[in-house]
Amino acid sequence: MANTIPAVEKAVAVLDILGARENGATQAELVELLRITPSTCYRILQTLLEAGWIRKRSGKRFDLAGGMLAAAMKLVDRPARLRAAQPVLERLAAETGLCAKLSVRQGRDQVPILRAESPRSVAVSSRLGVRFPVIEGSVGAALLFKTPDAEIAALAAECSEPVMEKNHPEIVTARIDALRLRGFCFNAGVNRWKIDAMSVPVLDGEKQVAAALTLLGSEEDFRERALPGLGAALRKAAKECARLVE
């Protein structure tokens, strides 16, 4: 990606891996996973150790440390406030009859952090905590609503998953255009999971994207005549969520 510093990107990648692994990682594992030289990995680890962002555990393993939390304290409250949106999702699911989920962006990924199940006995659902490429689906478009086209193209080029948007980033920008035009974007099952989904962004007090709110269902749930009503319910719920992160 233009105007980035490779050494910083590698350090961020180290932190991402340590944050995702329950037991941290050894230097050798990081070298293999990131395909960097042992000397580069060593210098990154020593720098992060000195800053207190990581710590060395037994067995030559490294893991995140409290210094990183101190550096990001002003962000700590946001996930907690977003989790307070669970009643909003429950009401949305009850009103629409569909599964509702709230997702956030984490670097190149999207991660669902909240879910309210459909009240129906048989319905589409989604697992929490599973990472997907940030460019994928209607969720991706909502999370990238404020992102420049050039950055979207770069995210697509860097994506390692076999998603349609990887080779066609214009799909993401078209969905963002739909968000601006209709107030929601709709993915009619053209994804790996063959699931229909409708998403809107949740904006914070500075009008930046804090999360994406999504309804999941089947083709019958999202017939054209139903879209305006579902979109209105989704936008209303998104505004309620937004009040939590103002």
Side-chain angles (χ1 to χ4, degrees), residues 37-188:
T37 65
S39 60
T40 296
C41 189
Y42 174 79
R43 288 194 296 271
I44 290 173
L45 291 172
Q46 293 306 308
T47 301
L48 295 173
L49 281 168
E50 182 69 22
W53 283 30
I54 67 172
R55 61 190 175 94
K56 196 168 185 178
R57 301 172 51 178
S58 60
K60 298 182 179 180
R61 304 190 75 79
F62 295 87
D63 210 342
L64 299 183
M68 187 176 181
L69 179 62
M73 275 305 296
K74 69 179 182 180
L75 301 178
V76 171
D77 286 345
R78 173 169 284 186
R81 291 193 300 240
L82 283 172
R83 286 186 174 87
Q86 184 66 40
V88 178
L89 270 68
E90 298 288 352
R91 289 194 295 273
L92 179 62
E95 178 182 350
T96 62
L98 303 177
C99 175
K101 70 173 181 176
L102 191 72
S103 305
V104 296
R105 179 180 177 181
Q106 292 184 359
R108 294 178 175 86
D109 297 326
Q110 54 174 275
V111 184
I113 62 170
L114 286 180
R115 178 188 66 217
E117 298 290 2
S118 163
R120 301 172 183 172
S121 56
V122 178
V124 174
S125 186
S126 174
R127 290 174 56 195
L128 297 182
V130 180
R131 291 176 176 267
F132 305 99
V134 71
I135 59 171
E136 188 172 12
S138 64
V139 176
L143 290 173
L144 297 173
F145 181 58
K146 298 277 188 171
T147 304
D149 290 354
E151 184 177 341
I152 292 172
L155 287 166
E158 295 165 359
C159 181
S160 60
E161 295 289 333
V163 298
M164 180 175 54
E165 294 87 349
K166 174 178 174 60
N167 296 318
H168 298 283
E170 67 276 8
I171 294 173
V172 184
T173 54
R175 289 171 181 155
I176 292 173
D177 289 342
L179 277 168
R180 296 192 180 105
L181 181 64
R182 304 185 72 179
F184 61 84
C185 64
F186 174 55
N187 177 15

